[in-house]
Amino acid sequence: MILSQLKLSLIAGALVLSVLPDATAQADISAKWIWKNQDSYTKYNDTVVARKVFTLPAATSANILITADTRYRLSINGQWVGDGPCRSWPDQYQYDVIDVTPYLKVGENEIQIVAKYFGIGTFHQIPQQSGLLAQLDVETTGGKSVRVITDGTWKTASASGWISNTVKRCIQMGPLEIYDARLEDSDAFAPAAVLFDAGAGPWKNLNPRDVALMTKIPFAFGSFREANVVSSEWRGYVFSTARLLYPGLIEANKSVSMASAVATVIDVPKATTLHLKALGCTLTIDGRRSMETEEKWLNTFELTPGKHFLFGVVSRAFGHWEKETEIQFIETSGYVLSNPINGNTKDPWSWVPFEDAKFISRDIEFLYHSAHPEEHDKIDLKIKSIINAHLVNVKDKSSFQTTFADQILILSSKTDVTEDLFNQFKEREVIVSAAKLVEHPNALLKDDSETTIIAPSPLGDVELIYDFGDETIGHFSFDIEAEAGLIVDVAAVEYITPKGLVQHTEEYRNAMRYICKEGNNKFLSLDRRAARYVFITLRNQTKPVSIRHFNIIESTYPAESVGTFSSSDTRLNKIFQAAVRTMELCMEDVYTDCPLYEQTLWTGDAGVMTIFGLHHFGAEDITRRSAWLVAQSVDIGPNTGEFPIAISTAPTKWEILLPAESFMWNLSVWDYYRYSGDRVFLNKVWPRVMKTLRSSYTFRDEYGLFSGPFWNTFDFAKIDRYHETVLYNSMFLVGAMDAALKCADALDDAKAIEWLKDFRTALVDAINLTWSEQKKAYPDSYHEDGSISTSTCMHTSFLSYLYDIVEVQNKDHVLQNMINPPENMVQVGSPFAIMYLYQALEKAGRQELIMKSILDNYVPMIDAGTTTVWESFPSGTLATDDFPTRSYCHAFSAAPIYFLPRIVLGIQSKGVGGKIVAISPRPSGLTWAKGAVATTHGPVDVSWKLDGDKLTIATKGPEGTDLRFKSNETLTHLNVLFNGQTVASGSKQDDELPVIR
């Protein structure tokens, strides 16, 4: 379905609504943006250290304002203070304000800051250029004010210990961390370069951090699992294709052509079989493709004695996120590599761009091309034809040089080629046990003077495996006594099967490397990583190594549980605690989806986490901040992207729209206001809410349904959704309008109310015209040829019920689809989608089905030994060698944190601000239960005990909160004693019973 010109002009920014970024009052900032004086301030993975020495009298208070592009670590007088800044859009850049009074002393003081510029796009940041800004304001005991600012008097140096030539951790994150302690303190300090005044750089509208600072809590290993000798044989090469093709490009999109190639010459002295693995490229040797093999990515070549030309071509035009090309040689010896241009064996690789195949597009723009298949196919076919032509025509050194001539770049092994240390771990081969080589392995379970001593093995590298006992996320910290050149690789995973198979999380490189200097090595990693199981591998070892200390400094939002839950069913208690722990690990400066491989603010994930975070933790600042960062994506500015509806991740250089999640953001705005009564925020965000809904109005197709070439997904289930018109998008849009109507009513916006009601009526009518009388359900989608999908899913039934879309005569049918779906109907595929099914079931009064679903779907997670809830539900009986999910800690799955107290304890806030709370417990087969739920005024506690037909309920809540009993059908046969008062079965409702606080 072809988009209207209006839609295209919205994307291009030619036609916009006048919604501009908030004018933030400039703070009293006299500090300058500084960096090390160098020829470029947009280098990839550039790390510097800045320091200032100054004297102070006795201080009564001291605060430092600090920020950087992209990350900083602050130390004062040798003590680690903290890391930052919080994520923010460049047009609304933020700084941290930290009380540093305890770190200062009378006399000489030193501030030291390690700052890192990513130089590449992520799902968390939009780097602009290198920059560091800091301002210390001190109040002295004598009543004087002292200010220390970043300026030309600061000293700066390269932090060469942090190696710049590394791969990205994954598409969502920044560069992988490799630190060479032999290089630390090797760079001379010189006066800093002053780049800009505080308000003059590319970072606009500087404003203070609006969420709590992250924690720094030591977290020790729970147990030692085993030690192994693993093969040290490894030969792999990684080429940073995106950086070679497009130097300085800040993006994280799929729709950027990586068409290019690497080449080398392989010299074998005798007939040889070579096996190579290639990620993201097709290999030929002397123009021949690999022999057939069953293993994915494995290439097999039979080589005769002599020299052979290897050509590795990035072979896909689009549809992938691999920004690097990787080639691994399984056989690590028996041949020599040399450069096809100059014969150099130290720098054996050459690289060429396919200039005619270069293409750069934001994903949102490229999706719009797909609305015009001829244009999309033209681009795709052009790139593929260029790739295929080179694969056919380039067969040897001569054709390589003739074809590419002066385009050929000889790659430096130091700056252009690196190795993927995580793949080395992933491909590890266990040779024998190393138990006899390790003394006192349990010493690392505690922080004392006892050390773990590891002897080297002549067979390979020694690996230690530890279990934290619980998933965690933070900065690795260790103290090692070792020889110079010892490599310490630290890798972490979430799951190991009972048979010992290690699960690696797709393309995410959850690892770091530390190269030791001679003697004592103490290190605290810059990056935050998640871990349940940690693998410490010692490479290049020739002498015993002593490890005195190894742990993680857990770094999360300082969440404090206000809510609680326990009952007579220990399974429910464990499920609840797993949901709580998952939320804790997915709360940073915003709500994030998972701690291990994304750490990303997903708009939809944050939508459901809003409900969990508020009612359990009372976490208003992180909720408000998450919603506001998403809101800023619909502002108009040079860095924020000009998006017609809220973007899928924020802030981000992955510029993609996922309508269902955008509409979930609209829902979360109301959820936050309903909980908090925060009218100031509602006024602030309201123009953005209306902008997204008015933009959504322009995306109606000829049937009146929401339609567009977006990422039209909602669930992992096999819904027929690869089309522009997908029914659940329109249903979520109705829900978004319902939320907006409530907000408009709170703000007395009569004009918005009238418009929203008209739009809602028209959209509901359009949705109901799609109802199939034959199938008693809504179709999944409309296809581009005008045909109606033959597939149906539960999702359209429960959303139509939840948002009062379904017509009265069809209501029983959608209820049956929710409760007992037909065999051929697509069912819910993820805990994310099931949250909305639970809401619909609750609305239908079928809470018992929610309780059954929680037990059916979450008990297997607990039985598998994990202490967090998963991204997807396990299917069937878990075999001992199964990998039952991708992510084992995913906060959109934490629905039990909300529904167990809501159903079992019956705690349900009513109205805005939670001043009236209905108490309507459902025993659900339990004999007792107790717990609490957060409100903006404080916790509401409920405990009950069932003895025969007598139910005794005790409650308490904050001053001014009305706690009212409400009967339900599960209580009608019981004698209820509520806060000491007898309640006739089923006769008292929440608005009838006196308040008992």
Side-chain angles (χ1 to χ4, degrees):
M1 300 170 188
I2 297 178
L3 296 170
S4 69
Q5 186 60 41
L6 173 61
K7 298 173 188 176
L8 290 172
S9 63
L10 274 168
I11 293 297
L15 177 64
V16 301
L17 300 173
S18 56
V19 180
L20 300 176
D22 286 350
T24 304
Q26 180 69 51
D28 176 21
I29 306 175
S30 56
K32 314 293 185 184
W33 287 95
I34 66 168
W35 202 257
K36 177 183 173 289
N37 189 11
Q38 54 194 41
D39 59 352
S40 171
Y41 297 102
T42 57
K43 294 180 179 180
Y44 172 76
N45 198 17
D46 185 22
T47 311
V48 302
V49 58
R51 70 183 184 190
K52 176 72 173 180
V53 177
F54 56 96
T55 59
L56 283 177
T60 58
S61 66
N63 289 289
I64 193 167
L65 174 160
I66 182 170
T67 191
D69 190 345
T70 310
R71 300 293 295 164
Y72 75 79
R73 167 161 292 166
L74 171 66
S75 299
I76 297 179
N77 294 324
Q79 298 183 73
W80 175 37
V81 177
D83 294 8
C86 55
R87 64 193 82 192
S88 56
W89 296 94
D91 285 350
Q92 297 284 320
Y93 212 65
Q94 293 193 285
Y95 53 82
D96 296 337
V97 179
I98 307 172
D99 180 359
V100 294
T101 310
Y103 299 94
L104 298 173
K105 61 185 179 181
V106 175
E108 186 174 274
N109 292 264
E110 181 185 54
I111 297 175
Q112 180 167 294
I113 304 169
V114 174
K116 178 185 288 288
Y117 175 67
F118 284 0
I120 198 164
T122 74
F123 286 22
H124 310 165
Q125 298 97 358
I126 307 176
Q128 302 295 291
Q129 70 153 76
S130 305
L132 168 65
L133 183 80
Q135 179 169 296
L136 173 68
D137 286 305
V138 182
E139 295 297 322
T140 70
T141 54
K144 293 183 178 181
S145 298
V146 176
R147 173 170 286 184
V148 179
I149 63 171
T150 45
D151 58 16
T153 66
W154 281 56
K155 304 295 184 182
T156 58
S158 294
S160 296
W162 275 282
I163 304 302
S164 61
N165 182 31
T166 72
V167 296
K168 284 192 75 176
R169 294 168 70 182
C170 60
I171 188 64
Q172 293 88 355
M173 299 194 205
L176 188 75
E177 186 173 17
I178 299 179
Y179 187 83
D180 190 339
R182 299 170 299 179
L183 302 177
E184 64 187 14
D185 303 326
S186 61
D187 300 292
F189 278 85
V194 175
L195 305 178
F196 308 100
D197 289 339
W203 314 278
K204 305 302 181 183
N205 300 310
L206 297 180
N207 57 93
R209 182 186 184 108
D210 50 355
V211 68
L213 294 165
M214 304 279 275
T215 62
K216 296 186 299 178
I217 303 172
F219 198 96
F221 291 134
S223 63
F224 170 69
R225 281 179 63 96
E226 60 181 308
N228 299 305
V229 176
V230 296
S231 174
S232 59
E233 298 297 318
W234 176 260
R235 193 165 187 173
Y237 302 90
V238 183
F239 312 93
S240 296
T241 311
R243 288 192 283 123
L244 289 167
L245 270 169
Y246 310 107
L249 181 64
I250 303 298
E251 59 83 33
N253 285 302
K254 289 184 178 181
S255 305
V256 178
S257 170
M258 293 291 116
S260 57
V262 293
T264 190
V265 172
I266 307 173
D267 190 353
V268 294
K270 61 182 180 179
T272 301
T273 300
L274 279 187
H275 299 89
L276 297 91
K277 288 189 175 181
L279 176 62
C281 72
T282 297
L283 300 182
T284 67
I285 294 183
D286 302 329
R288 294 180 292 106
R289 300 281 184 100
S290 165
M291 297 167 58
E292 290 294 326
T293 177
E294 293 183 1
E295 186 176 348
K296 187 180 181 182
W297 306 119
L298 186 65
N299 297 263
T300 303
F301 295 96
E302 299 286 352
L303 303 183
T304 59
K307 295 184 178 181
H308 301 271
F309 178 75
L310 184 149
F311 193 49
V313 177
V314 176
S315 51
R316 287 185 291 179
F318 297 108
H320 60 96
W321 283 342
E322 290 99 11
K323 304 298 183 179
E324 295 93 11
T325 303
E326 299 190 29
I327 299 175
Q328 178 194 348
F329 288 74
I330 305 301
E331 292 79 21
T332 60
S333 61
Y335 53 89
V336 175
L337 301 184
S338 62
N339 199 287
I341 302 304
N342 60 14
N344 192 319
T345 57
K346 291 185 178 179
D347 295 322
W349 293 95
S350 285
W351 172 85
V352 290
F354 294 175
E355 290 289 349
D356 293 342
K358 282 187 174 180
F359 182 84
I360 300 172
S361 177
R362 297 160 60 192
D363 283 349
I364 186 172
E365 292 172 345
F366 202 61
L367 281 170
Y368 274 86
H369 285 304
S370 69
H372 307 276
E374 69 285 355
E375 185 176 354
H376 180 278
D377 292 346
K378 181 179 177 181
I379 296 168
D380 189 67
L381 290 172
K382 175 188 174 183
I383 296 172
K384 287 180 178 177
S385 66
I386 293 169
I387 289 170
N388 291 332
H390 289 319
L391 277 168
V392 171
N393 296 329
V394 178
K395 300 180 179 181
D396 51 29
K397 286 198 305 180
S398 177
S399 56
F400 177 65
Q401 293 177 11
T402 301
T403 302
F404 298 107
D406 59 0
Q407 297 177 35
I408 299 172
L409 174 67
I410 296 174
L411 298 180
S412 164
S413 296
K414 182 177 181 181
T415 60
D416 300 320
V417 184
T418 185
E419 63 176 289
D420 189 343
L421 62 97
F422 186 75
N423 259 348
Q424 186 175 2
F425 161 65
K426 188 175 178 180
E427 300 280 346
R428 79 196 229 287
E429 177 188 351
V430 176
I431 299 174
V432 294
S433 170
K436 294 182 179 179
L437 301 175
V438 183
E439 296 181 29
H440 313 300
N442 289 328
L444 295 191
L445 307 185
K446 52 192 183 301
D447 189 9
D448 58 21
S449 60
E450 188 176 13
T451 61
T452 299
I453 301 172
I454 307 100
S457 169
L459 302 177
D461 301 329
V462 179
E463 165 192 90
L464 309 178
I465 308 175
Y466 286 88
D467 180 2
F468 277 113
D470 196 359
E471 184 143 350
T472 180
I473 182 171
H475 306 272
F476 286 123
S477 172
F478 51 80
D479 183 345
I480 297 176
E481 196 78 20
E483 62 191 295
L486 176 81
I487 294 175
V488 182
D489 281 353
V490 184
V493 300
E494 289 182 310
Y495 189 68
I496 301 176
T497 70
K499 288 185 177 180
L501 297 178
V502 178
Q503 182 171 351
H504 307 286
T505 307
E506 295 190 350
E507 296 85 10
Y508 179 58
R509 302 174 173 106
N510 196 30
M512 61 158 287
R513 170 166 289 175
Y514 181 90
I515 305 170
C516 293
K517 62 186 177 182
E518 187 70 30
N520 187 242
N521 293 260
K522 291 183 179 180
F523 188 69
L524 178 68
S525 65
L526 278 178
D527 289 345
R528 294 168 66 255
R529 297 174 188 81
R532 167 69 192 266
Y533 303 98
V534 175
F535 294 71
I536 305 167
T537 307
L538 307 179
R539 308 192 192 278
N540 292 351
Q541 183 185 6
T542 65
K543 300 177 182 178
V545 172
S546 176
I547 307 179
R548 193 197 69 78
H549 158 84
F550 201 117
N551 70 357
I552 204 166
I553 309 300
E554 188 165 279
S555 175
T556 65
Y557 173 86
E560 295 185 7
S561 288
V562 177
T564 59
F565 177 83
S566 59
S567 72
S568 55
D569 189 333
T570 57
R571 298 172 301 169
L572 292 177
N573 304 341
K574 289 179 179 179
I575 291 168
F576 182 82
Q577 288 305 319
V580 171
R581 181 60 177 166
T582 302
M583 281 293 296
E584 290 172 346
L585 295 175
C586 296
M587 296 167 73
E588 301 179 27
D589 56 336
V590 292
Y591 290 124
T592 60
D593 59 333
C594 57
L596 192 142
Y597 74 96
E598 288 201 48
Q599 300 177 19
T600 296
L601 167 57
W602 281 87
T603 302
D605 295 35
V608 297
M609 291 174 73
T610 288
I611 297 173
F612 308 154
L614 289 173
H615 290 86
H616 183 80
F617 299 104
E620 295 187 28
D621 60 344
I622 191 173
T623 303
R624 182 172 55 245
R625 181 167 203 276
S626 298
W628 180 236
L629 278 177
V630 175
Q632 290 178 47
S633 72
V634 300
D635 286 335
I636 302 304
N639 292 307
T640 50
E642 304 149 11
F643 301 105
I645 59 177
I647 200 167
S648 305
T649 64
T652 189
K653 281 303 292 182
W654 185 47
E655 297 167 326
I656 197 73
L657 297 178
L658 203 166
E661 297 213 356
S662 179
F663 302 143
M664 292 172 194
W665 168 74
N666 292 90
L667 292 165
S668 74
V669 170
W670 168 251
D671 288 333
Y672 171 72
Y673 178 71
R674 184 180 186 278
Y675 176 90
S676 67
D678 185 350
R679 194 178 180 89
V680 171
F681 178 76
L682 186 58
N683 270 304
K684 181 179 178 182
V685 79
W686 181 239
R688 282 90 175 170
V689 170
M690 284 305 298
K691 180 191 173 184
T692 62
L693 295 175
R694 291 187 184 277
S695 293
S696 300
Y697 181 84
T698 70
F699 286 96
R700 292 170 302 149
D701 63 11
E702 56 264 44
Y703 308 106
L705 300 168
F706 181 87
S707 180
F710 306 116
W711 188 15
N712 292 320
T713 192
F714 165 43
D715 191 10
F716 300 150
K718 294 181 180 179
I719 300 169
D720 184 11
R721 58 184 171 85
Y722 294 103
H723 307 282
E724 293 185 18
T725 305
V726 181
L727 264 293
Y728 54 59
N729 279 344
S730 291
M731 293 182 176
F732 271 118
L733 179 52
V734 173
M737 285 191 284
D738 287 342
L741 279 164
K742 296 171 188 174
C743 293
D745 183 62
L747 295 172
D748 297 320
D749 190 339
K751 186 176 180 180
I753 290 172
E754 181 181 4
W755 183 86
L756 287 164
K757 284 183 176 179
D758 288 346
F759 184 17
R760 186 191 192 281
T761 298
L763 185 56
V764 167
D765 288 346
I767 292 170
N768 281 320
L769 286 174
T770 71
W771 177 265
S772 169
E773 280 296 329
Q774 178 185 3
K775 296 184 177 182
K776 305 301 181 187
Y778 298 96
D780 287 356
S781 57
Y782 274 33
H783 296 181
E784 280 62 34
D785 62 3
S787 62
I788 301 174
S789 174
T790 59
S791 174
T792 62
C793 61
M794 285 179 65
H795 307 65
T796 51
S797 285
F798 63 69
L799 291 174
S800 71
Y801 189 90
L802 180 60
Y803 299 130
D804 297 314
I805 295 168
V806 64
E807 294 175 315
V808 173
Q809 66 270 24
N810 297 322
K811 203 168 186 178
D812 287 342
H813 296 303
V814 299
L815 274 170
Q816 281 304 307
N817 293 340
M818 290 159 50
I819 295 167
N820 188 26
E823 185 177 347
N824 60 349
M825 178 173 279
V826 178
Q827 300 188 32
V828 175
S830 73
F832 179 44
I834 214 167
M835 169 69 180
Y836 297 91
L837 172 59
Y838 286 176
Q839 288 181 323
L841 288 171
E842 181 186 52
K843 184 174 182 176
R846 300 302 302 267
Q847 287 88 342
E848 79 281 2
L849 295 179
I850 301 174
M851 294 297 296
K852 181 180 185 302
S853 175
I854 288 174
L855 287 170
D856 289 346
N857 290 307
Y858 287 89
V859 166
M861 302 183 194
I862 304 304
D863 288 347
T866 59
T867 59
T868 49
V869 293
W870 304 352
E871 183 181 18
S872 55
F873 292 130
S875 57
T877 303
L878 292 180
T880 56
D881 58 351
D882 278 350
F883 295 153
T885 185
R886 177 175 62 172
S887 168
Y888 292 84
C889 184
H890 225 83
F892 70 29
S893 305
I897 203 175
Y898 175 69
F899 281 103
L900 288 178
R902 188 170 176 84
I903 295 172
V904 177
L905 302 178
I907 306 173
Q908 301 178 25
S909 295
K910 304 186 69 177
V912 173
K915 290 189 176 181
I916 299 175
V917 180
I919 310 298
S920 186
R922 293 173 178 265
S924 304
L926 306 172
T927 57
W928 64 267
K930 60 182 179 180
V933 167
T935 75
T936 193
H937 307 290
V940 171
D941 293 86
V942 171
S943 63
W944 60 257
K945 184 177 182 181
L946 183 61
D947 186 4
D949 64 354
K950 181 180 179 182
L951 180 67
T952 303
I953 307 170
T955 71
K956 63 178 180 179
E959 186 68 26
T961 300
D962 293 352
L963 306 181
R964 300 180 178 182
F965 174 77
K966 181 177 182 179
S967 187
N968 62 66
E969 70 279 4
T970 69
L971 305 179
T972 54
H973 64 289
L974 299 175
N975 296 315
V976 180
L977 192 67
F978 181 78
N979 284 343
Q981 297 185 25
T982 300
V983 180
S985 296
S987 65
K988 292 290 183 181
Q989 297 301 313
D990 60 327
D991 57 348
E992 297 174 350
L993 199 70
V995 176
I996 302 179
R997 296 187 180 91

